[in-house]
Amino acid sequence: MPEGFDYIVIGSGSGGAAVARRLHDAGARVAVIEAGRSTLGVAEIEDPSQWFGLQSGAWDWGHHYTPTERILGRDIAIPRGKGLGGSSATNAMMWYRGVPADYARWDAVAPGWSWEDCLPAFKASERWQGGERALRGGSGPLEITRPDADHPLTQAMLKGGAAMGLPVIEDPNGPEPLGVGLANFNIDAAGRRHTSAAAYLAPIIGSERLTVLTETLALGLIFEGDRATGVQVSGPEGVADLTASIGVILAAGALETPRLLMLSGIGSEAALARLGIAVRLKSEAVGQNLQDHPLLRALNFRASTPLGPMKGNGGGTLTIWKSKAELPQADLLAFPVQGRSAVPALWEQYDLEGDDVFAIGLGVMRSHSRGEIRLTSADPAAALDIQPNLLSDPRDLTALIQGVEFLMEMVGSDGFQPFFKDHIAPRSTDDIETFVRRSCSTFFHCCGTVQMGADDDAPVSPRLGVKGIRGLWVADASVIPEIPACHTHAPVTMIGERAAQFILEDA
Ligand SMILES: Cc1cc2nc3c(=O)[nH]c(=O)nc-3n(C[C@H](O)[C@H](O)[C@H](O)COP(=O)(O)OP(=O)(O)OC[C@H]3O[C@@H](n4cnc5c(N)ncnc54)[C@H](O)[C@@H]3O)c2cc1C
């Protein structure tokens, strides 16, 4: 096994790739441990239209949410990318950073995370097609582009939103936080997915200060007293211990980071004792506060003509609005799908055949339901019990019902003519609640399971150090205290950027 590292970063996804690159560029010797294979130059990863198929198979961890009656006992897979770049290599490539109100809520529990605090790191990460602006970065590692507006469904979404009274916005990451507009994507100028691995790691591969170990699983942390000094890994050459002279950064994502902490004895005393894991540090909140955006997959409609081949990721616009006018910020988000889109329960109920079917995905972005992750065994390969409690907060259900009504009216409006022909799923506005429960899935934004905060109960400090352990930080979606009303790749990239600053200042 190689040695001589200052830092070991576990996971090469949205957070891990950013923190590793920034530590490297500051002169540190960095090892990145990644359970999956390299994704660099892999055709199915780089082709945006193939993203949906990456959720099943070798590029994914294969996790599932534990069913509840609220979603009619259905199984919901919760995909997580397994490969260099993590979920940024398998996600839908939407780049949406959220609005100041999202970060004001972070700042309230973790001082130092207001929008003004976070904006420089967002800008540092971005190479926005429109160039440097007050709110946008023009020279960062990650390419962010806007799609063409020429697909008939894109046109219909823009005109339909306007017909419903929404402003048509220039840029969802610009100053106007509500309306309908072309989305931003992690797609480069040549039309390829731009993963965090391609953006942050590929340019420094070959540097003598960077070691990337793919197909290497972190099994647990190694400690000397109250300091994390390394990681036990299982790789192509067997099980070995890797050591770091300064510390270890957990960036294994919102499901695997709490697992690694618990396997290493950091978690709920009673839960660890039940599994025979020796308690190193009692931290009851590890694994708690699991959040995700419920996503309806999806409303399906018949168009008056065949849709033709998919463009980009098969979407193109974002529609961002409020379920109730009095809300302080938008809580609903919809995106088009240039083809049918359905969970298995909808396939069974509706006729979705034909090349003239299009869909609209609907998510509630100010979701309030909370859940938890539990280990089922001390075996690192065992399935996790992952319970997000989707729809347990009545506000989430009410907002989704309003959203379905809004979208059905929008598709029937003049803005969608002559593109729209008929409703398929749901067929009518009768019993939308059952449609919501039957189509509810994940927006893939699980987070919050090792939350940061100034409060004694929060496992991680606002500067991302694990409380009670020296030399151990978290730089992934786990630390998010409250899910922002946006997709999560951009916020986690920003967390990775800021983690490096904090670590360099505090280590
Ligand atoms: C199918 C899908 C679609 C999505 N669509 C969007 C979208 O369009 N826009 C958006 O903003 N967000 C989207 N997301 C969410 C977004 O991609 C994630 O929130 C974000 O990438 C999470 O970053 P992370 O660093 O926390 O974890 P990840 O990016 O998942 O990185 C974790 C890494 O750690 C590795 N790892 C885990 N455990 C171990 C271990 N024990 N040893 C070694 N390595 C380990 C994993 O293999 C992975 O590479 C989507 C996600 C998915 C899965």
Side-chain angles (χ1 to χ4, degrees), residues 128-160:
W128 165 233
Q129 175 185 349
E132 183 86 17
R133 304 271 166 93
L135 293 176
R136 305 303 307 264
S139 53
L142 261 174
E143 281 198 50
I144 323 280
T145 55
R146 217 197 309 253
D148 294 335
D150 56 358
H151 194 281
L153 180 53
T154 307
Q155 287 298 322
M157 289 297 287
L158 296 172
K159 290 184 189 144

Side-chain angles (χ1 to χ4, degrees), residues 65-74 76 290-297 331-332 343 362-371 387-404 431-443:
Y65 283 156
T66 303
T68 66
E69 278 316 304
R70 288 183 291 271
I71 49 159
L72 310 180
R74 290 176 302 111
I76 296 178
L290 171 62
Q291 298 161 71
D292 194 356
H293 294 129
L295 171 76
L296 304 191
R297 271 204 26 239
D331 61 334
L332 291 172
V343 296
L362 168 68
V364 59
M365 308 307 275
R366 280 287 290 121
S367 48
H368 295 90
S369 303
R370 299 281 184 277
Q387 180 50 267
N389 287 320
L390 295 174
L391 305 185
S392 60
D393 190 304
R395 288 172 289 182
D396 298 352
L397 179 65
T398 309
L400 285 167
I401 291 172
Q402 195 285 341
V404 173
D431 201 8
I432 291 180
E433 179 176 335
T434 302
F435 176 78
V436 168
R437 294 189 188 281
R438 196 181 296 263
S439 61
C440 181
S441 186
T442 166
F443 217 138

Side-chain angles (χ1 to χ4, degrees), residues 141-206:
L142 261 174
E143 281 198 50
I144 323 280
T145 55
R146 217 197 309 253
D148 294 335
D150 56 358
H151 194 281
L153 180 53
T154 307
Q155 287 298 322
M157 289 297 287
L158 296 172
K159 290 184 189 144
M164 295 295 285
L166 293 177
V168 177
I169 54 176
E170 166 75 15
D171 177 10
N173 289 307
E176 301 150 298
L178 187 149
V180 55
L182 293 177
N184 289 188
F185 289 110
N186 300 119
I187 295 179
D188 70 15
R192 289 172 307 210
R193 174 199 289 275
H194 206 214
T195 69
S196 296
Y200 281 98
L201 298 180
I204 53 168
I205 282 177

Side-chain angles (χ1 to χ4, degrees), residues 10-17 33-36 51-52 54-55 60-61 78-96 185-186 196 213 216-219 251-254 256-257 259-260 313 443-447 475-478 486-493:
I10 304 175
S12 65
S14 310
I33 310 297
E34 171 53 53
W51 78 268
F52 198 76
L54 303 173
Q55 291 171 45
D60 193 81
W61 283 80
I78 172 64
R80 293 293 88 192
K82 187 178 194 177
L84 211 58
S87 299
S88 81
T90 61
N91 72 11
M93 294 155 284
M94 302 231 198
W95 181 259
Y96 179 34
F185 289 110
N186 300 119
S196 296
L213 298 172
T216 301
L217 182 72
L219 300 172
E256 298 299 331
T257 283
R259 184 206 303 257
L260 278 167
N313 81 335
F443 217 138
F444 316 114
H445 296 160
C446 51
C447 62
D476 62 25
S478 315
C486 59
H487 303 73
T488 40
H489 172 49
V492 178
T493 304

Side-chain angles (χ1 to χ4, degrees), residues 277-288:
I277 299 171
V279 178
R280 170 167 296 276
L281 179 74
K282 192 176 141 199
S283 189
E284 298 296 328
V286 170
Q288 301 296 306

Side-chain angles (χ1 to χ4, degrees), residues 406-421:
F406 177 97
L407 291 173
M408 290 181 78
E409 190 183 336
M410 180 182 86
V411 170
S413 74
D414 287 349
F416 254 81
Q417 295 306 334
F419 186 70
F420 167 69
K421 187 170 167 200

Side-chain angles (χ1 to χ4, degrees), residues 10 57 177 226 259 266 269 283 285 315 317 385-386 392 394 439:
I10 304 175
D226 66 354
R259 184 206 303 257
I266 301 174
E269 197 169 25
S283 189
T317 61
D385 175 10
I386 312 169
S392 60
S439 61

